Amino acid sequence: MLLVIDRGFDLTDEAMYLYDMEHAGPSSGTHIYLIAGRLGHLFHNNIVVWRVISLCLNMAGSLIFAAGFWRLGTGLGLFGNSRSKSDRTGFFIAILIGSLGYYGVGPPSLSSNSVAAFGLVSGTGLLALAVTAAPGIRRHVLIALSSLAIVLLEAARISAGAGYLLAAPAMLWLASTLLGWQATIRLALVHILFGVLWTIVLATAFDAWQQILPVIQLMLSTGNSEGSSYNYGVLAEQHLVDLFGFAWQSLRYAAAAVGAGLLASLPLGWRAFFTSPSPPVLRQVRASVLFFAALLPLIPLWDYLSLVNIFANWPSGLCADAAMIVCDQPIGMTGRPFMYAVGGQIVVAALFAMLDRLPPKSAPFNETGRWTASAWSILLVLLLILTIVTSLGTNTGLLAHSIFCMGPLMAAGYIALTHAGLRLGRIPGCVAPVSLICFSLLVVVSIAHNRLFFPYRLDGTIFRQTTRLDHPPELKGLKVSASLSSELANIERTLLSAGFDPQRDLVLPIYNMPGLIVGTNTRAFGFAWLDTGPGWDEINCHRIKTDPADLRSIGRLFVLSNSPASPALANCLRERGVDMAAEQRIATIPVEATPPVKVGIVPIP
């Protein structure tokens, strides 16, 4: 991770994050940049600093979440031994492994994704600490901090609110088992009250009141856009498909573990197992099945490695989109394989939990045992819901996007494997370490693919990023490829030679080139990332129409383009006084592996 802190620049998503922080406004689509941008002015929103901050927030949120849910789980007697350092260490390591999975996809800078993940894990972790704390000032301080984290979650991803509400019943039920319902309801009301107060404080402190409603309007407009990948109906259908796919794949993975475990248990004699499943026999079969369940992460790892030919014949990238400023690299692993592997482990654990209800007469399954099984199940469901909270409303899918917040997922897997059928005796000591090692391998391979060899929308591998930039302030100190450095310098030189005034002039970027806007230290008209594809014309037009710039007083509009403006976009621009037919071409800048960038000026009468 330290190797990529100051290397590589994604010209799409990461550049958009930087632009949103430097020029936060209604077109951002999220409120968090109104806050982050103001704070970032202290260090010129420098990308390297934001990457360090993002990494620190990731680690801090993971540790808070681990501490909170360890206290909650041991307090409820559902998992873990408060006196066992190995149990606690394994639980913390599992959550840290899951959190590091964030860097296996997407850019490493601070973004709405990273803040949403931090807000969720730290907010719920602090809430769990508050539940287990003694009544008094300390509990209220923890609740206040938890509310602040959840407000940041909402500011980063508005749609996450629905997911947080889905998790609320499980959280309330678990809290009530420790505090009672009256105290739990009081705690929830205080949590909500602090949330409202934090919203008022942050909106006032960062002068964001005027931007709150326009950002929400943009999100609603995006959801209502026909054909858009963010359309409400399209997202609902995709999310349902993902949930059914998760259930099916979890059963398949669990069947593989159970089948392998039973085959390995042949010497025990299946007839004895099925006719009289005594605890000693079940204990041995369970040990075998759980061992293979711990190996489940190796299935997607094998699937991934099968795509390559001994480190030589890697899948090719995608340069087919003529309107994209950079080629998409071969896609590595998303959150899907992690979800499937943990889902399989939970199904296996549930199987042994049900077998736990078949003890001998000398050890009846009493009400305490039934309560423990119910609470254990609710806790696992809660952790799975928390894993996908930040994925709600994303067009990449619940399962794929879950890689941005896998701390709760790894916690669920760890709890499932280490507490599957407790009345059948202790879990074999090798199960937890084997599972952690396998998931670590999966995370390491994912990070190596997406950060080193095929970094997300970068020009070449991370080792090709050797040319250090000395400007603009947002990119100062960052190492990029020599070709990208040359392209940025050529575009900047062309603009300046045409009389471009950074304090006055605006640039229209067509299409998908926020990185060129940030890299040349210019300001976009409409938005830095005007996207292509179904539904985007409507969203692009919304941004063009709502841009407050007075183009007539400026008298001209500079244009960077790699493909012609669509008829719909041209009509929207014409309504703002921009006639693309009157564009005067200045220069054509070659770009490696993608269409050249054309620089032009449109006079505004």
Side-chain angles (χ1 to χ4, degrees):
M1 285 309 305
L2 296 177
L3 180 65
V4 305
I5 286 292
D6 66 341
R7 288 174 181 262
F9 180 44
D10 165 27
L11 294 173
T12 54
D13 293 80
E14 190 169 31
M16 182 186 67
Y17 304 148
L18 289 176
Y19 186 85
D20 280 339
M21 285 187 275
E22 190 67 24
H23 305 284
S27 291
S28 300
T30 175
H31 296 106
I32 195 61
Y33 299 119
L34 300 170
I35 300 172
R38 291 289 188 90
L39 298 175
H41 282 161
L42 298 174
F43 46 87
H44 305 290
N45 280 306
N46 184 265
I47 187 172
V48 178
V49 178
W50 275 128
R51 287 179 177 180
V52 173
I53 292 174
S54 178
L55 180 60
C56 292
L57 288 178
N58 187 305
M59 294 296 97
S62 301
L63 293 174
I64 293 171
F65 181 84
F69 274 80
W70 174 261
R71 292 272 311 264
L72 180 64
T74 54
L76 291 170
L78 298 180
F79 69 89
N81 183 347
S82 58
R83 298 181 180 179
S84 173
K85 291 184 178 180
S86 60
D87 276 1
R88 182 170 60 248
T89 301
F91 185 71
F92 274 64
I93 289 175
I95 292 172
L96 287 173
I97 290 172
S99 297
L100 285 175
Y102 175 92
Y103 298 100
V105 64
S109 290
L110 186 94
S111 66
S112 56
N113 289 323
S114 62
V115 175
F118 168 77
L120 178 72
V121 294
S122 61
T124 52
L126 287 165
L127 199 57
L129 287 172
V131 168
T132 56
I137 295 178
R138 183 169 179 268
R139 173 179 287 179
H140 284 81
V141 169
L142 290 170
I143 296 173
L145 293 175
S146 171
S147 300
L148 173 59
I150 298 303
V151 168
L152 293 178
L153 163 67
E154 287 293 306
R157 190 171 297 285
I158 298 173
S159 55
Y164 193 65
L165 291 177
L166 288 175
M171 289 191 289
L172 290 171
W173 191 90
L174 291 172
S176 69
T177 59
L178 281 178
L179 305 177
W181 278 109
Q182 283 189 341
T184 299
I185 292 173
R186 284 198 300 268
L187 186 150
L189 292 176
V190 172
H191 182 51
I192 295 171
L193 176 61
F194 273 123
V196 173
L197 292 176
W198 279 120
T199 301
I200 295 172
V201 168
L202 291 175
T204 303
F206 293 94
D207 194 23
W209 284 110
Q210 293 183 343
Q211 305 291 350
I212 291 177
L213 185 58
V215 170
I216 295 175
Q217 289 174 335
L218 175 63
M219 295 299 295
L220 294 175
S221 173
T222 303
N224 287 322
S225 177
E226 292 294 335
S228 169
S229 58
Y230 288 97
N231 177 268
Y232 298 132
V234 172
L235 288 177
E237 181 181 355
Q238 184 186 60
H239 289 351
L240 286 175
V241 170
D242 279 342
L243 291 176
F244 281 112
F246 170 65
W248 169 244
Q249 292 294 340
S250 297
L251 291 173
R252 288 186 64 232
Y253 273 58
V258 172
L262 290 177
L263 286 174
S265 304
L266 276 175
L268 297 175
W270 284 7
R271 179 176 298 179
F273 170 68
F274 285 112
T275 58
S276 180
S278 63
V281 174
L282 283 176
R283 194 176 301 125
Q284 295 177 61
V285 173
R286 183 192 60 169
S288 178
V289 172
L290 288 180
F291 176 78
F292 284 101
L295 295 177
L296 285 179
L298 297 183
I299 295 178
L301 181 60
W302 174 260
D303 291 340
Y304 167 80
L305 293 177
S306 66
L307 296 176
V308 303
N309 182 12
I310 313 303
F311 307 106
N313 187 24
W314 295 83
S316 59
L318 177 64
C319 290
D321 189 348
M324 186 62 72
I325 195 63
V326 64
C327 296
D328 275 328
Q329 297 281 25
I331 297 175
M333 285 177 283
T334 62
R336 293 181 184 275
F338 296 92
M339 291 288 291
Y340 296 157
V342 172
Q345 292 176 344
I346 291 175
V347 172
V348 168
L351 172 64
F352 287 113
M354 288 188 290
L355 289 175
D356 234 2
R357 292 174 173 257
L358 302 173
K361 294 180 180 180
S362 58
F365 194 82
N366 54 30
E367 290 302 319
T368 301
R370 290 190 178 88
W371 177 88
T372 301
S374 300
W376 183 79
S377 302
I378 289 174
L379 176 62
L380 293 182
V381 170
L382 170 61
L383 292 172
L384 288 178
I385 292 175
L386 293 180
T387 302
I388 63 173
V389 163
T390 60
S391 303
L392 291 173
T394 61
N395 65 345
T396 52
L398 289 178
L399 306 186
H401 198 274
S402 65
I403 198 169
F404 288 109
C405 188
M406 292 198 307
L409 180 69
M410 293 296 104
Y414 183 86
I415 294 169
L417 278 188
T418 55
H419 295 79
L422 292 179
R423 300 191 73 255
L424 300 175
R426 290 181 58 82
I427 304 295
C430 66
V431 170
V434 168
S435 179
L436 293 179
I437 290 171
C438 291
F439 276 117
S440 296
L441 287 174
L442 208 57
V443 168
V444 167
V445 170
S446 179
I447 291 177
H449 179 105
N450 292 299
R451 293 268 69 85
L452 301 180
F453 300 108
F454 298 99
Y456 183 75
R457 289 180 178 169
L458 255 62
D459 181 17
T461 69
I462 203 67
F463 307 105
R464 198 181 163 197
Q465 318 299 310
T466 56
T467 303
R468 191 179 296 276
L469 300 178
D470 57 8
H471 73 286
E474 294 90 343
L475 303 181
K476 186 176 182 179
L478 183 69
K479 294 179 181 178
V480 299
S481 66
S483 58
L484 176 58
S485 175
S486 176
E487 292 158 10
L488 293 175
N490 289 338
I491 294 173
E492 185 178 21
R493 191 181 306 114
T494 300
L495 290 172
L496 293 176
S497 65
F500 181 83
D501 182 358
Q503 303 300 320
R504 174 173 171 266
D505 286 308
L506 301 176
V507 175
L508 176 68
I510 311 174
Y511 287 98
N512 302 305
M513 54 178 71
L516 299 189
I517 297 295
V518 173
T520 56
N521 200 24
T522 55
R523 191 157 56 94
F525 174 65
F527 191 51
W529 192 348
L530 299 180
D531 212 331
T532 53
W536 279 105
D537 275 333
E538 186 177 343
I539 300 169
N540 292 338
C541 285
H542 175 85
R543 286 167 163 158
I544 293 292
K545 292 176 180 178
T546 57
D547 192 301
D550 184 0
L551 294 181
R552 295 188 185 280
S553 65
I554 298 174
R556 61 185 179 181
L557 179 64
F558 283 80
V559 178
L560 296 179
S561 62
N562 55 12
S563 61
S566 70
L569 181 61
N571 287 334
C572 295
L573 289 168
R574 194 175 297 112
E575 292 177 10
R576 290 298 307 268
V578 181
D579 185 2
M580 294 302 295
E583 179 185 358
Q584 302 169 4
R585 186 66 47 78
I586 300 175
T588 299
I589 310 296
V591 177
E592 186 173 316
T594 61
V597 172
K598 302 175 181 64
V599 185
I601 300 178
V602 177
I604 308 296

